Amino acid sequence: RATVSRDASGRLVVETHGIPDTAKLNADLRRPLGRPEDRALFFHKVAAGRFESTIAVDEGRWIVRLEVSAEGRAWSHEARLG
């Protein structure tokens, strides 16, 4: 399980539950409306079960497609941001 939010600096924060500490995360973002815009994001671990994107994300609405891999398994989650 994972929840996605944006911190004060604009970086995405992913809180995970029940995912191994060795997990790797990345995400694809796209705008749901207006001019097409896509971004790829990578994350680093900042605490147990908490990951932060390596770059900030512009304000506005995004659809976040999160990919998690660990111990030979893969999982994905889609969330709306903004």
Side-chain angles (χ1 to χ4, degrees):
R1 196 173 109 184
T3 56
V4 180
S5 61
R6 187 185 344 237
D7 69 11
S9 70
R11 295 177 191 271
L12 293 194
V13 176
V14 178
E15 299 277 347
T16 61
H17 306 281
I19 295 173
D21 284 341
T22 58
K24 303 269 190 243
L25 279 73
N26 61 51
D28 291 317
L29 286 86
R30 64 183 165 82
R31 296 277 190 188
L33 300 169
R35 189 181 79 228
E37 186 177 356
D38 296 317
R39 295 249 170 95
L41 285 183
F42 300 94
F43 294 81
H44 64 273
K45 184 176 176 179
V46 293
R50 185 178 172 94
F51 298 82
E52 184 178 273
S53 64
T54 56
I55 62 170
V57 174
D58 294 339
E59 290 290 324
R61 292 183 180 176
W62 293 94
I63 295 175
V64 180
R65 174 86 173 162
L66 182 66
E67 300 286 335
V68 180
S69 60
E71 300 176 355
R73 300 177 123 185
W75 174 82
S76 63
H77 173 74
E78 191 168 284
R80 293 191 178 265
L81 183 66

